Amino acid sequence: MAKVLEINGPLVRLELPGAVLGEQVSVGALGLVGEVIGRDGDTALAQLYEDSAGLAPGEAAAGLGHPLSVELGPGLLGGIFDGIQRPLEAVRQVSGDRISRGIRVPSLARGRRWAFAPAPDRSAEMVINAGDILGSVQETASIAHRILVPPDVSGELLELAPAGDYEVDATIARVRSHDGSIRKLTLCQRWPVRIPRPFRRRDHAVQPLVTGQRILDTFYPLLKGGKAAIPGPFGAGKTMLQHQIARWCNAEIVIYVGCGERGNELTDILESLPKLTDPHSGRPLMERTLLIANTSNMPVVAREASVYVGITIAEYFRDQGYDVVMVADSTSRWAEALREVAGRLGQMPVEEGYPAYLGSRLAAFYERAGRVETLAGGSGSVTLIGAVSPPGGDFSEPVTSHTKEIIQTFWALSKELADARHYPAIDWLESFSGYIGQAARWWADNVDPGWAPARARALAMLSESEELRRIVNLVGVDALSSEQRWSLEAAELIKEALLQQSATDEVDSYASPAKQYLLLAGLLDIYDRGMRLVGQGVPARRLLELPVLGEARRWKTRYGDADIAGLRERVARLVEDFMPLEAEYFPAGPGEG
Amino acid sequence: MKNLEFRTAASARGGLVVMAKVPGVAAGTRVSLRDHAGRGRNGLVIRTSDDAVLVEVFEGTDDLDLERTWVRFLDEPYSLPVSRDILGRVFNGVGQPRDGRPPIVSGQRRDINGAPLNPAARAYPREFIQTGLSAVDGMNSLTRGQKLPIFSGGGLPHNRVAAQIVRQARLLGAATTEFVVVFAAFGVSSQDARYFQESFEESGALERLVMFLNLADEPVIERLLTPRAAFTAAEYLAYELDYHVLVVMTDMTAYAEALREVAVLRGDVPARKGYPGYLYSDLAEIYERAGRIRDRRGSITLIPVLSMPSDDITHPIPDLTGYITEGQIVLSRELHAQGVYPPVAVLPSLSRLMKDGIGGDFTRPDHPHVASQLFASYARALEVRGLAAIIGAEDLSESDRRYLAFAEAFEHRFVGQGEDEERDVYASLDLAWELLSMLPAGTLTRVSEDELAKYHKPAEAAR
């Protein structure tokens, strides 16, 4: 008889002979759900996803015979789920404003029918393989949900349902496996969250993930299938930046995992996304978005599970051939959940109380990102963006430093910039991207071959301006030469006219790559023209009076993406802005160069 | 079980008692102990098996004679009796009256731990709450359902600021009766406690107030329950009686220190500065009880006060708090030394939800721009002040000298105000314009041309 032996916070010791590590358990009269994490003879150690208050030794327990797994099928998009994939809207219908313990609601709604269309090239008696596409369901106006043969099934297709309306658990196909057994396939399938879903092979990431955020796309690009981290102290605008990415990035599916973060932030997404339009498809953003919410006040063990639930769903859409972005906010809370459980297990802490396996767990998690050739032969990707919340903003702490070794793109947020109300507060010196080469090819093919050199020049100017800024702070601006003053001004111009971007301004919130490049090229042109005049003896102070410097700062809000031609025309006219000065100093005309 | 007394205490150390051979005791159960002198003590089951039950004793284990300790397990979690009559009352840290009046008679008891709010049931905080303080209302506005802490330091007047907010806080437009305050103080000196009580009594605020007090010399572990009891009262008032509730808690540092003390006794692995790894989750469990719920009329807004050890904002307590709350109001030692009250350092202060609670629908259409302009102009003014310290004020340009004067006026007249001075938000905005009028209109780029024409009056500023 299986029963509870001991309760210690979220950890319970059970008498449960034959328990399998990772197996789900149901504990006590309320049926609290948990997971076996240790085994010793006939006793098993389990961690509960729900609060254990009121549970007493002697209460019944049972193994459920399967590991933590998610239900994958139509009905995922537009939804909000908790850390173990319970649909929170449906839970609200059952248990009201608060989540009562032991509640069981199917992840995908039953009773709703989906219009299934079988794939035209499939028919009975065909041999089908794992991952093949059986048909599709138009889940939202922009997303066709492809119904896949589960990764553990292959054989002869005995029967495929005709086009029609089916519930998620209705049988739509029967398959005779190679061992002769018959498998019934439905519109949905299950997959254990801690095991990566299989694919044919890894491909190189080649396309940038366009976010419409200039400092990201132009300076520190991320590729579809890449890994990025956003570390930042509180108040640096981490959440806002992630929301901007979730809103505007050119992925087909966005999965936002609120892992141990504020409840009101998820509410903000839930209330604002349905009103916003996807700039790429023209449809409401909610139709491509899925939220996983384990807010900071929800049980900590489910927080550890939530990122795996999110990444498994991301892989499932990848396997359908989609480009998926998963944002995990915040991986620090996930790491803290690991630490908390490790502490209760009495495991030896290494750094700041974290267990020794922190680094390997983080690496294994990020490894689930990538662009792959799917089992069906298509191409799909999972891009993983993890927020990191370093205590006290100290990037040398374990989670940030381990993450930094794993990811390729690092968007470092700075408290100083945020305090100066410079948003997005991404530090252009601390950040890096390991994808510049691939991104440069894409920009050259799709926007302008001048991207890579222009980007490098702008970064060099920003870096030089830090040096000049130090001199000014020590001895005052008068100590600078005219060239230096002009360089300093040009760097300020890049910061204000390009790097700063308002998330709340309708025009500025999203900038297409074409607009980003034109702004960058235009600002560099202003710099070059000014520098030439300075080199010919025009004092920098006269250049600083040019009206174009103020006007260029407003280009980003004046020229929307519908008016790229206007911006291009404006940039082409820059020569005129310098004419009065040229006429004054060189009445005969200095000539170009 | 609740009527049985056990005398099986097997061991005791530092506030924990192990009870042997009491089968079937549930986790989180309330415990009542009777020692050899017949004195009652309270406790909580934190770990349980049939062989051993670990009990945390609030009043400590000093002077406990194991053979002569009788223990009852009450089969229930800590709970608070609730009714409309809690308004106007003063309770101790666990909800027993400390105002000399009889206990709350009510059939309704609520588990003080609450249950987590379904994120899908939340409504986003909106609508303005007026605190009567210009630095808050004008530049770091509080909205209904928000969590906005005050970060302070030892010796700074955070208690006076908190008390003033409690006395003055109101909603615009709505009748004042819809608005009530739950005030919880833990680890405070009896002098501070008396200050709060008298301050609220004199101003008449007590009628729309529920107070929970745990003094510095009262059981430390009780402090772990005080914020939970306060939120239980707040949730009852907000979601069952439809009040808009402002919860003010002071001092969260005392709470976190109590948590650390208990964690060490329990042998939990420490993370930073000896605080347990679950400090974040524990604070979130408290703070996240603030908010609004869809289709409910009431709301809970939270202002926790915490003193930053050594004024260090990266200390785990303010740091973790900042990750959970929606902004912070930071008090400045420098302003305090200059006699500015309330000494709000506006630049490091932030209200993340401000944009959704102000403007034409809630306060005044120019409010967002004025706030942004004040931030920009004051930041510029501080740069000028830094420059003046190096090269001397005489060598400043005319425009820079105006900024210097603006910084002075801003700190002393806008941020600074009387402890009994209640400025409504319109007065704060008018004052902001009066000060901004000291600066050349051309430098005010965050406000619109129309607003400049309407409000910017350089002639009056010059007088």
Side-chain angles (χ1 to χ4, degrees):
Chain A
M1 173 56 202
K3 63 175 185 180
V4 177
L5 297 175
E6 183 179 1
I7 302 130
N8 176 17
L11 286 188
V12 292
R13 207 154 49 80
L14 307 170
E15 188 175 305
L16 191 64
V20 178
L21 283 173
E23 185 179 354
Q24 298 283 285
V25 289
S26 168
V27 177
L30 285 171
L32 306 176
V33 186
E35 174 177 341
V36 176
I37 55 171
R39 179 74 201 278
D40 183 10
D42 282 345
T43 67
L45 193 64
Q47 55 180 5
L48 298 182
Y49 303 128
E50 302 177 89
D51 185 12
S52 63
L55 186 67
E59 287 190 47
L64 301 178
H66 60 80
L68 177 61
S69 51
V70 284
E71 198 166 57
L72 302 164
L76 287 168
L77 294 176
I80 175 167
F81 300 87
D82 77 356
I84 50 172
Q85 211 206 3
R86 290 184 297 197
L88 287 170
E89 275 297 345
V91 166
R92 182 167 176 255
Q93 304 301 325
V94 177
S95 80
D97 297 335
R98 288 167 201 283
I99 303 173
S100 38
R101 292 184 293 161
I103 188 166
R104 301 274 167 89
V105 180
S107 299
L108 299 175
R110 300 301 193 263
R112 175 163 180 188
R113 288 170 171 272
W114 298 93
F116 170 73
D121 55 349
R122 301 268 169 236
S123 59
E125 293 174 23
M126 271 177 96
V127 171
I128 55 161
N129 293 306
D132 281 351
I133 296 169
L134 288 173
S136 71
V137 164
Q138 195 68 38
E139 183 171 355
T140 70
S142 49
I143 300 293
H145 193 119
R146 289 160 194 143
I147 306 303
L148 306 176
V149 176
D152 56 349
V153 175
S154 62
E156 184 194 349
L157 183 62
L158 297 177
E159 186 191 337
L160 180 62
D165 293 348
Y166 301 90
E167 289 190 32
V168 285
D169 51 0
T171 301
I172 49 122
R174 288 190 307 125
V175 177
R176 192 202 319 271
S177 305
H178 301 302
D179 63 5
S181 66
I182 307 254
R183 286 281 299 265
K184 290 178 179 171
L185 306 185
T186 63
L187 287 182
C188 69
Q189 54 182 281
R190 297 195 72 85
W191 187 261
V193 300
R194 295 187 199 276
I195 299 174
R197 282 175 64 89
F199 47 82
R200 209 175 271 177
R201 63 152 203 268
R202 266 180 202 280
D203 286 335
H204 288 297
V206 284
Q207 285 204 324
L209 180 80
V210 176
T211 64
Q213 310 305 301
R214 290 184 290 267
I215 182 140
L216 308 189
D217 297 349
T218 296
F219 288 93
Y220 297 104
L222 172 62
L223 300 184
K224 287 180 177 174
K227 310 172 227 183
I230 309 178
F234 71 83
K238 191 154 33 73
T239 303
M240 202 54 166
L241 183 65
Q242 292 177 90
H243 285 200
Q244 285 296 89
I245 295 170
R247 275 172 197 170
W248 303 127
C249 75
N250 64 344
E252 289 154 309
I253 309 277
V254 175
I255 295 175
Y256 190 96
V257 181
C259 173
E261 289 293 307
R262 306 177 181 92
N264 282 334
E265 286 174 358
L266 284 152
T267 311
D268 186 20
I269 301 183
L270 273 178
E271 290 187 8
S272 68
L273 279 196
K275 294 177 205 145
L276 291 171
T277 310
D278 179 354
H280 312 284
S281 73
R283 301 289 311 168
L285 278 172
M286 204 63 205
E287 290 187 1
R288 68 164 196 183
T289 311
L290 184 156
L291 302 176
I292 311 276
N294 176 283
T295 52
S296 55
N297 56 333
M298 289 161 79
V300 70
V301 176
R303 184 174 310 161
E304 197 269 331
S306 65
V307 298
Y308 292 106
V309 166
I311 195 83
T312 307
I313 297 173
E315 288 173 343
Y316 171 68
F317 280 105
R318 172 202 71 190
D319 292 346
Q320 297 175 38
Y322 287 116
D323 288 322
V324 186
V325 164
M326 172 167 142
V327 177
D329 181 15
S330 139
T331 55
S332 294
R333 307 301 165 220
W334 169 76
E336 285 167 10
L338 271 189
R339 174 170 72 184
E340 193 170 330
V341 173
R344 286 185 197 274
L345 290 173
Q347 288 166 343
M348 179 75 77
V350 286
E351 293 170 276
E352 299 202 6
Y354 288 105
Y357 47 79
L358 171 68
S360 55
R361 288 278 175 93
L362 271 170
F365 168 63
Y366 275 101
E367 201 52 29
R368 293 177 74 167
R371 194 169 86 90
V372 303
E373 184 182 322
T374 65
L375 293 179
S379 174
S381 69
V382 173
T383 310
L384 191 46
I385 301 171
V388 187
S389 319
D394 170 16
F395 287 3
S396 67
E397 61 91 36
V399 181
T400 316
S401 57
H402 281 299
T403 304
K404 205 170 174 178
E405 289 163 20
I406 298 164
I407 48 82
Q408 296 287 319
T409 298
F410 191 69
W411 293 321
L413 289 166
S414 143
K415 180 86 175 129
E416 284 70 37
L417 288 175
D419 279 353
R421 282 8 185 211
H422 174 116
Y423 293 119
I426 295 178
D427 187 322
W428 46 88
L429 297 177
E430 283 271 314
S431 301
F432 61 80
S433 166
Y435 299 122
I436 302 301
Q438 297 96 316
R441 274 192 288 281
W442 181 88
W443 281 84
D445 292 346
N446 292 277
V447 184
D448 197 292
W451 177 81
R455 169 187 178 275
R457 283 188 63 202
L459 279 176
M461 285 163 66
L462 288 168
S463 167
E464 186 198 343
S465 81
E466 298 293 314
E467 201 58 44
L468 296 175
R469 175 70 49 205
R470 266 195 286 278
I471 298 176
V472 171
N473 287 344
L474 280 177
V475 288
V477 76
D478 292 336
L480 296 185
S481 69
S482 257
E483 276 92 355
Q484 288 173 323
R485 281 198 72 175
W486 180 244
S487 294
L488 195 58
E489 169 61 22
E492 286 304 313
L493 188 62
I494 288 178
K495 286 180 205 168
E496 290 176 39
L498 191 70
L499 300 187
Q500 287 189 18
Q501 189 167 357
S502 164
T504 51
D505 184 280
E506 215 167 287
V507 174
D508 200 25
S509 189
Y510 174 85
S512 66
K515 175 177 170 181
Q516 297 188 28
Y517 179 72
L518 276 174
L519 285 175
L520 174 62
L523 299 176
L524 288 176
D525 194 31
I526 292 177
Y527 169 72
D528 289 340
R529 288 176 188 282
M531 199 47 112
R532 195 156 50 231
L533 290 178
V534 168
Q536 288 164 343
V538 179
R541 126 187 98 71
R542 295 299 310 279
L543 285 160
L544 298 186
E545 293 163 359
L546 286 176
V548 68
L549 296 182
E551 194 214 313
R553 284 170 163 83
R554 289 189 293 272
W555 287 348
K556 58 184 181 184
T557 48
R558 175 176 299 172
Y559 299 100
D561 280 307
D563 194 16
I564 291 293
L567 179 58
R568 181 170 290 121
E569 189 268 337
R570 176 64 191 91
V571 169
R573 272 195 297 110
L574 277 172
V575 59
E576 296 167 19
D577 295 281
F578 291 82
M579 274 180 185
L581 268 186
E582 298 207 6
E584 184 184 333
Y585 280 84
F586 310 103
E592 283 285 312
Chain B
M1 170 88 71
K2 67 192 281 186
N3 297 319
L4 296 177
E5 274 197 331
F6 295 89
R7 199 165 56 94
T8 55
S11 66
R13 65 180 158 83
L16 298 178
V17 170
V18 177
M19 298 292 296
K21 301 191 203 72
V22 188
V25 174
T29 295
R30 232 178 105 192
V31 176
S32 157
L33 292 86
R34 196 158 54 80
D35 64 20
H36 61 278
R39 282 183 306 236
R41 302 190 197 198
N42 298 297
L44 191 66
V45 172
I46 56 173
R47 186 169 178 163
T48 168
S49 70
D50 284 351
D51 305 325
V53 177
L54 192 61
V55 178
E56 199 167 80
V57 182
F58 292 0
E59 292 81 357
T61 45
D62 288 354
D63 196 25
L64 210 60
D65 177 351
L66 294 186
E67 281 70 34
R68 288 187 292 158
T69 297
W70 291 266
V71 177
R72 282 196 301 142
F73 296 95
L74 301 176
D75 284 346
E76 58 174 24
Y78 268 89
S79 61
L80 184 79
V82 289
S83 89
R84 194 174 286 274
D85 300 334
I86 59 176
L87 279 172
R89 297 294 306 271
V90 183
F91 301 99
N92 72 0
V94 290
Q96 289 152 349
R98 68 180 304 151
D99 52 6
R101 292 161 59 192
I104 298 297
V105 184
S106 164
Q108 300 194 62
R109 296 188 76 88
R110 296 278 185 279
D111 177 355
I112 63 164
N113 291 307
L117 201 55
N118 185 335
R122 279 184 188 273
Y124 193 67
R126 275 177 226 287
E127 289 140 4
F128 180 76
I129 293 178
Q130 179 175 296
T131 63
L133 299 177
S134 297
V136 177
D137 294 348
M139 301 175 73
N140 297 288
S141 317
L142 182 63
T143 60
R144 269 186 222 172
Q146 184 176 7
K147 313 179 275 287
L148 188 63
I150 296 176
F151 286 5
S152 183
L156 293 180
H158 45 266
N159 283 342
R160 282 157 58 200
V161 176
Q164 186 172 5
I165 291 176
V166 167
R167 292 194 307 268
Q168 298 181 351
R170 68 192 68 247
L171 305 169
L172 291 188
T176 50
T177 49
E178 283 185 30
F179 193 68
V180 296
V181 176
V182 172
F183 181 85
F186 21 92
V188 297
S189 65
S190 50
Q191 188 187 342
D192 286 343
R194 186 157 356 110
Y195 164 76
F196 284 127
Q197 236 163 323
E198 286 171 2
S199 154
F200 300 151
E201 265 164 31
E202 279 165 25
S203 66
L206 202 52
E207 298 156 33
R208 53 180 187 105
L209 182 74
V210 188
M211 268 180 100
F212 293 84
L213 288 177
N214 162 283
L215 300 187
D217 58 353
E218 288 176 337
V220 169
I221 301 180
E222 197 176 286
R223 253 162 244 173
L224 301 184
L225 305 185
T226 311
R228 293 176 166 83
F231 261 113
T232 305
E235 284 168 356
Y236 172 77
L237 292 167
Y239 303 132
E240 293 182 45
L241 302 184
D242 291 344
Y243 285 110
H244 293 295
V245 185
L246 175 67
V247 179
V248 178
M249 295 187 164
T250 182
D251 174 336
M252 292 309 293
T253 302
Y255 172 84
E257 280 166 0
L259 191 74
R260 174 169 69 177
E261 198 174 323
V262 172
V264 169
L265 289 178
R266 288 162 59 155
D268 292 333
V269 176
R272 289 176 68 213
K273 300 207 172 183
Y275 291 94
Y278 51 80
L279 177 61
Y280 176 82
S281 301
D282 192 277
L283 288 174
E285 235 173 61
I286 296 170
Y287 294 150
E288 283 283 334
R289 287 172 81 168
R292 293 172 66 213
I293 298 183
R294 274 155 64 186
D295 310 326
R296 299 283 186 124
R297 289 181 53 204
S299 64
I300 301 178
T301 308
L302 171 66
I303 301 184
V305 178
L306 58 90
S307 48
M308 300 183 280
S310 322
D311 292 353
D312 176 11
I313 200 167
T314 67
H315 184 281
I317 301 169
D319 189 50
L320 296 179
T321 296
Y323 275 119
I324 306 165
T325 56
E326 287 118 359
Q328 65 278 339
I329 304 288
V330 181
L331 300 190
S332 148
R333 200 166 289 283
E334 201 183 327
L335 287 178
H336 179 60
Q338 290 169 20
V340 174
Y341 172 91
V344 176
V346 295
L347 293 188
S349 298
L350 171 74
S351 166
R352 292 163 190 268
L353 306 183
M354 174 169 181
K355 61 183 187 338
D356 300 299
I358 61 169
D361 292 344
F362 304 110
T363 56
R364 214 167 75 178
D366 59 320
H367 192 166
H369 298 153
V370 171
S372 169
Q373 187 63 59
L374 285 173
F375 273 116
S377 297
Y378 182 56
R380 167 95 182 92
L382 288 187
E383 272 177 31
V384 172
R385 191 184 272 171
L387 192 63
I390 298 173
I391 64 170
E394 313 79 54
D395 289 341
L396 291 178
S397 68
E398 158 65 17
S399 157
D400 281 353
R401 274 201 295 273
R402 289 214 228 168
Y403 271 100
L404 266 193
F406 170 77
E408 280 299 303
F410 175 79
E411 286 167 0
H412 288 92
R413 293 179 53 205
F414 188 81
V415 175
Q417 66 186 78
E419 206 170 329
D420 294 312
E421 183 184 356
E422 184 175 345
R423 285 189 203 144
D424 69 29
V425 63
Y426 308 108
S428 292
L429 290 175
D430 289 343
L431 178 58
W433 275 110
E434 189 190 325
L435 300 183
L436 287 174
S437 296
M438 298 166 70
L439 301 173
T443 64
L444 305 179
T445 54
R446 308 277 180 107
V447 292
S448 74
E449 297 285 329
D450 291 349
E451 287 160 355
L452 276 176
K454 187 168 174 190
Y455 298 108
H456 190 255
K457 301 279 167 14
E460 284 169 34
R463 276 207 305 276

